[in-house]
Amino acid sequence: MSTTNLLELVRFKTIALLLGEQSIRNSESWFSENELHEFFVNLQESVKSRDPTGMYPTLDEWIRREKMGETPSLAEILNKILLSIYTVAQDELYAEQSQELIGDLLPIFFQAGQYIHQKDVNTRIKEISQEQLSLEELEKSKSDFISIAAHELKTPLTLMEGYSAMLREIIEQKKIFDEHIFLLLDGMDSGSRRLREIINDMIDVSLIDNEMLSLSFQPAWLYKILERIEVEYSNAIQSRQISIEVHRFSGDEILNFYDGERLFQAISNVVSNAIKYTPDGGNITIDGRRLHDFIEIMIEDNGIGIDVHDQEKIFDKFELIGEVEYHSSGKLKFKGGGPGLGLPIAKGIIEAHGGRIWVESDGYDEINFPGSIFHILLPLREEPPEQPTTNLFEPLFVHKPNRDI
């Protein structure tokens, strides 16, 4: 007897068994008797032709209903149907017939399960792609907003700075030497400078996001840049009794190609971050080493450290670590806040140099102060990326240093 005939013999009792089970009978998301008969007809055709595609229209409809929450898991349903067929076949057929039937059905059910799984995978891939596209569009909208907002803020800020300067000049011309007035003007100037720094940071992060940050590579000595860092923060660290030690190291004397101003900005942002999260009386050390064709700069502090889970997040723009209610404004104040752009900008500038930045810390601890070490890896360049500019500085590199360690 053929498999299709054997299947016909067990079809009605199998459907009755399926419909009679308590868990199925109480579920509104199961199939009707007619739908189960239709499934068995398609199953018989698939067994006869040994081609499971005849079941796909029915499976597609079941998949649609499963997505809408109208049915249980289709994998569970197929297993339940196959188990019910096996149960009825054991009672209604000879052992050899039962084995033959189940043996012929297993490949069909297996391929049906694969079809369902592949459809589910394709659906999930499509959903993830759509979500990724939405996130990319959202990120672009954010970047565009930052760029527009920054440029729109520059105009009124320029007016404020101009009027403040005019007011100061008028007061000096009229010889009005009132200490309180000058304190107010100094406060206005300080606030305007801080606002301009934030606006410039917003413009920089927009340029980095849109891959429009341009670098002007010029020959420079790294130790000179680090000396500028030490001078830059000398007054700030005195007010908080923080010491900064800048060590000379192998490779810092090499005349290399950097965008000196941008690299100074990047390292300055990292040092500023170290100062903010180091308590009064703490220490910050800048050291480095040469690694064949790279220079590694290490900025180490003995501050509150960074949680392991946050050590990548801190390089994302506007990422604020810690509770927002404890966020305080102040560029170098202990645990002082900011817009969360300093480290992302540093990362963008360093990567634009062909380098990399990362941080290591044993964790966040405001009692034991585990500290953090920021690593900056920069390539050694004998010539800038723009080949036409190379000839201009060629005399400086007539005697090229030996770069072997």
Side-chain angles (χ1 to χ4, degrees):
M1 187 176 293
S2 67
T3 303
T4 54
N5 290 333
L6 293 175
L7 187 58
E8 182 65 23
L9 291 176
V10 301
R11 184 191 358 159
F12 290 93
K13 286 194 175 182
T14 300
I15 293 174
L17 177 61
L18 289 168
L19 295 175
E21 290 195 6
Q22 184 68 31
S23 60
I24 297 176
R25 189 168 62 244
N26 291 339
S27 174
E28 296 179 356
S29 59
W30 187 239
F31 307 103
S32 68
E33 182 176 354
N34 289 336
E35 288 172 319
L36 288 173
H37 278 294
E38 180 183 353
F39 172 82
F40 272 87
V41 170
N42 291 333
L43 179 59
Q44 286 175 303
E45 289 296 324
S46 296
V47 170
K48 185 177 180 179
S49 63
R50 298 187 181 277
D51 181 8
T53 57
M55 296 175 59
Y56 289 175
T58 301
L59 293 176
D60 287 338
E61 175 61 20
W62 288 10
I63 290 171
R64 184 192 67 79
R65 293 176 60 179
E66 181 187 33
K67 290 178 182 177
M68 298 177 64
E70 297 177 359
T71 67
S73 165
L74 289 186
E76 293 180 10
I77 292 173
L78 289 178
N79 288 336
K80 179 67 70 176
I81 292 174
L82 183 59
L83 181 60
S84 297
I85 292 173
Y86 174 77
T87 302
V88 174
Q90 289 287 94
D91 294 336
E92 300 295 323
L93 304 176
Y94 294 113
E96 292 182 358
Q97 292 176 325
S98 176
Q99 292 175 2
E100 180 185 353
L101 174 61
I102 299 302
D104 288 343
L105 290 180
L106 278 174
I108 301 297
F109 273 83
F110 176 75
Q111 292 180 63
Q114 281 190 317
Y115 178 76
I116 292 172
H117 173 71
Q118 189 59 50
K119 293 282 284 190
D120 182 59
V121 169
N122 293 341
T123 300
R124 291 180 184 274
I125 290 174
K126 184 178 179 180
E127 291 173 351
I128 292 172
S129 299
Q130 290 175 342
E131 289 178 4
Q132 183 177 0
L133 180 61
S134 299
L135 288 173
E136 289 174 354
E137 291 175 350
L138 177 61
E139 190 67 21
K140 186 178 185 304
S141 297
K142 286 166 58 179
S143 182
D144 290 344
F145 171 77
I146 293 169
S147 178
I148 293 169
H151 284 92
E152 288 297 321
L153 286 171
K154 287 183 74 174
T155 301
L157 176 60
T158 302
L159 290 174
M160 290 170 56
E161 291 172 335
Y163 287 133
S164 177
M166 291 169 60
L167 184 58
R168 185 183 292 273
E169 185 177 346
I170 291 171
I171 291 173
E172 290 176 351
Q173 287 176 352
K174 293 188 175 184
K175 299 182 179 180
I176 302 174
F177 298 106
D178 189 321
E179 181 180 352
H180 297 290
I181 292 178
F182 283 104
L183 283 174
L184 292 173
L185 287 172
D186 289 342
M188 290 171 59
D189 291 343
S190 176
S192 296
R193 283 195 299 273
R194 180 65 179 135
L195 184 56
R196 183 164 290 280
E197 289 174 358
I198 294 173
I199 291 172
N200 289 337
D201 283 349
M202 292 170 65
I203 293 173
D204 284 344
V205 82
S206 177
L207 291 173
I208 291 169
D209 281 347
N210 291 289
E211 299 181 353
M212 295 175 62
L213 183 69
S214 61
L215 300 180
S216 176
F217 285 90
Q218 307 289 338
W221 289 278
L222 184 58
Y223 79 91
K224 290 289 188 182
I225 296 174
L226 297 180
E227 285 179 354
R228 282 184 60 195
I229 295 289
E230 189 174 17
V231 173
E232 175 78 10
Y233 290 101
S234 58
N235 293 330
I237 61 178
Q238 285 178 6
S239 64
R240 293 193 47 209
Q241 298 180 329
I242 292 176
S243 67
I244 292 185
E245 299 178 14
V246 180
H247 296 167
R248 293 294 303 270
F249 54 88
S250 174
D252 69 352
E253 79 289 349
I254 297 175
L255 190 60
N256 197 34
F257 275 92
Y258 308 107
D259 184 324
E261 290 303 315
R262 284 297 190 182
L263 186 58
F264 171 82
Q265 179 186 2
I267 299 174
S268 179
N269 285 355
V270 177
V271 172
S272 172
N273 183 81
I275 293 173
K276 282 196 293 186
Y277 293 101
T278 298
D280 293 358
N283 301 298
I284 296 171
T285 303
I286 302 176
D287 206 341
R289 57 180 176 171
R290 181 178 173 181
L291 300 172
H292 195 52
D293 287 335
F294 289 87
I295 290 288
E296 182 182 11
I297 305 168
M298 292 162 285
I299 301 169
E300 181 175 3
D301 64 67
N302 60 348
I304 59 179
I306 304 169
D307 189 272
V308 175
H309 300 293
D310 295 329
Q311 290 179 14
E312 291 187 10
K313 291 167 58 178
I314 60 173
F315 295 104
D316 296 334
K317 62 180 181 292
F318 302 116
E319 189 65 45
L320 301 178
I321 306 301
E323 300 295 332
V324 177
E325 56 264 31
Y326 299 120
H327 181 89
S328 61
S329 61
K331 186 175 180 180
L332 298 174
K333 182 179 177 182
F334 181 49
K335 295 172 62 177
L341 298 177
L343 291 180
I345 290 173
K347 180 175 182 286
I349 292 172
I350 290 164
E351 290 182 349
H353 277 81
R356 182 170 173 254
I357 181 172
W358 71 96
V359 65
E360 60 174 309
S361 175
D362 290 336
Y364 180 91
D365 190 339
E366 294 191 29
I367 298 176
N368 298 312
F369 299 107
S372 306
I373 304 176
F374 281 81
H375 298 261
I376 298 173
L377 198 65
L378 294 169
L380 288 170
R381 284 194 172 96
E382 294 183 348
E383 58 186 37
E386 299 84 7
Q387 188 64 32
T389 316
T390 306
N391 297 330
L392 181 63
F393 302 105
E394 190 172 356
L396 295 172
F397 293 90
V398 173
H399 302 290
K400 297 179 181 178
N402 182 10
R403 299 206 165 176
D404 295 332
I405 296 179

